[in-house]
Amino acid sequence: QVQLVESGGGFVQAGGSLRLSCAASGRTLSWHAMDWFRQAPGKEREFVAAITWSGGSTYYADSVKGRFTISRDNAKNSVYLQMNSLKPEDTAVYYCAAGVDTFTPDYWGQGTQVTVSS
């Protein structure tokens, strides 16, 4: 079993930056892809970014491409999401996820709130 715990969320003004972290415990994730999803109030959960187990490939939603960067440190069993040039529409609960398949997570964190004010 895998436990994922996100941190780094908070309140920021538009144009600002935040860095989300996700720490995994329970088993190594060196062979799992890691993803970030988000869910805004009244909306469905949506894909944000993904990184393969080796870190060799990354994927982004069009809405965050060029502003967000996903990275991982397998030695620390952690994944990160650097978010720059934040917009009010980025306001959401952000979830870390892990899975053997890059886009189909098997495990989910509990989420961290990100609020961007205009």
Side-chain angles (χ1 to χ4, degrees), residues 1-97:
Q1 192 66 16
V2 174
Q3 293 80 43
L4 303 173
V5 179
E6 302 95 338
S7 61
F11 184 92
V12 65
Q13 291 188 332
S17 298
L18 282 174
R19 186 179 189 239
L20 304 183
S21 299
C22 174
S25 62
R27 64 184 299 180
T28 180
L29 291 177
S30 60
W31 49 277
H32 281 74
M34 300 293 295
D35 302 345
W36 287 96
F37 286 74
R38 67 186 182 187
Q39 187 167 20
K43 295 187 177 180
E44 293 188 353
R45 189 176 297 185
E46 65 174 1
F47 168 78
V48 175
I51 186 167
T52 55
W53 70 270
S54 67
S57 295
T58 56
Y59 307 88
Y60 297 94
D62 287 343
S63 59
V64 306
K65 202 171 293 183
R67 300 188 297 122
F68 290 11
T69 303
I70 189 171
S71 61
R72 68 188 296 164
D73 185 339
N74 288 340
K76 295 183 178 180
N77 242 11
S78 295
V79 65
Y80 309 97
L81 186 68
Q82 177 66 44
M83 306 185 295
N84 298 329
S85 302
L86 282 161
K87 305 175 181 180
E89 51 263 44
D90 293 319
T91 294
V93 177
Y94 283 71
Y95 296 91
C96 171

